[in-house]
Amino acid sequence: MENTLQLVRNIIPPLSSTKHKGQDGRIGVVGGCQEYTGAPYFAAISALKVGADLSHVFCTNAAAPVIKAYSPELIVHPVLDSPGAAHEVEKWLPRLHALVVGPGLGRDDALLENVKGILEASKARDIPVVIDADGLWLVAQQPALIQGYRKAVLTPNHMEFSRLYDAVFRGPVDSDDRHGSVLRLSQALGNVTVVQKGEHDILSDGQQVLVCSQEGSSRRCGGQGDLLSGSLGVLVHWALLAGPEKTNGSSPLLVAAFGACSLTRQCNHQAFQKHGRSTTTSDMIAEVGTAFSKLFET
Ligand SMILES: NC(=O)C1=CN([C@@H]2O[C@H](COP(=O)(O)OP(=O)(O)OC[C@H]3O[C@@H](n4cnc5c(N)ncnc54)[C@H](OP(=O)(O)O)[C@@H]3O)[C@@H](O)[C@H]2O)[C@@H](O)CC1
Ligand SMILES: Nc1ncnc2c1ncn2[C@@H]1O[C@H](COP(=O)(O)OP(=O)(O)OP(=O)(O)O)[C@@H](O)[C@H]1O
Ligand SMILES: [Mg+2]
């Protein structure tokens, strides 16, 4: 654990008075619909709190005023349910360093079709993508969408992992072999990075398997996975900038994922110390700054 945390420390860009706004990360979150506005907010604000300079949300028309009202710090585009959605997002892609696809997206077929176009445009531009929540629902329907795209990281929870595994292998997960299952899924998808969240997080790029057991808590409020995927959007960008020299030969994306898992669990731990059973994801987001310093700046 400690060795991998050191690799995470190596990819963090120094704060410097010579940098301009945007250099430490411009992240886009694709998600947010009528039902779910919290999830894209949690992901986008977490990206900012970890250290990105700008955080965009691409959501449906109905979700946009709600998300804007949560925070003046987010840039919100009400485009996801418009006929030219993929084109609208594509216009922004040259200015974005990473996309987080799925938090609060929902499962409406027309929206998912638009997101398919966004994923294809992102791959064509070589933009790293973190795929979570309903983005994983889409990938389970069409694994070819990310097959072999090495700048993709998938962050399934227990259910999402089973669904993906079943879609790829046409059979259930062997629950006695979590390491092997994560490794095999990554390999079968052409070495995309897979992060299976749970009591311990299991991470693989199809070559290495890492386990993150950073102490969290027993509190399982909704939204913790959104904090993880938003944080990972920034860390993925930083890791790719730093390159494998800084990660001692390990995959930069795997190191980034380990960083996001450790950070999320540490936020959960700290928030639980203060709030106990009433801990919510907003309490965890309030801990991002101190958790980050404790893990990565000591
Ligand atoms: N505030 C907001 O706006 C938030 C919005 N969110 C958004 O909601 C959307 C749907 O996401 P999701 O995670 O609810 O969908 P999915 O994974 O299909 O789970 C459905 C069912 O699976 C089960 N289950 C889950 N974990 C399990 C486990 N470890 N072990 C065993 N079973 C487990 C459990 O079933 P049950 O216990 O009811 O049988 C659960 O009810 C998505 O857009 C997401 O971003 C969230 O981000 C939260 C904050
Ligand atoms: N049993 C557990 N013990 C400790 N930590 C856990 C446990 N289950 C999940 N976590 C941690 O909680 C975080 C979110 O994982 P979870 O499985 O709840 O994601 P999720 O279902 O996608 O969340 P969300 O509600 O945001 O959709 C991860 O950092 C994971 O390490
Ligand atoms: Mg989730």
Side-chain angles (χ1 to χ4, degrees), residues 100-136:
V100 180
V101 177
L105 177 62
R107 294 174 188 172
D108 176 85
D109 283 337
L111 275 191
L112 294 179
E113 195 56 32
N114 290 343
V115 172
K116 189 178 155 190
I118 295 167
L119 277 176
E120 278 161 353
S122 306
K123 279 195 301 183
R125 290 183 175 274
D126 215 26
I127 292 177
V129 289
V130 175
I131 305 185
D132 188 29
D134 302 313
L136 295 169

Side-chain angles (χ1 to χ4, degrees), residues 39 103-104 132-134 136 155-157 160 197 223-226 229:
D132 188 29
D134 302 313
L136 295 169
T155 56
N157 65 19
E160 291 156 348
K197 300 174 289 190
Q224 301 182 34
D226 307 317
S229 59

Side-chain angles (χ1 to χ4, degrees), residues 157 160 197-199 201 217 220 222-226 228 264-265:
N157 65 19
E160 291 156 348
K197 300 174 289 190
E199 185 175 357
D201 299 327
S217 81
R220 300 268 70 77
Q224 301 182 34
D226 307 317
L228 193 156
T264 307
R265 297 170 72 102

Side-chain angles (χ1 to χ4, degrees), residues 64 165 230 265 269 287 295:
Y165 194 94
R265 297 170 72 102
H269 180 71
E287 300 297 324
L295 292 174

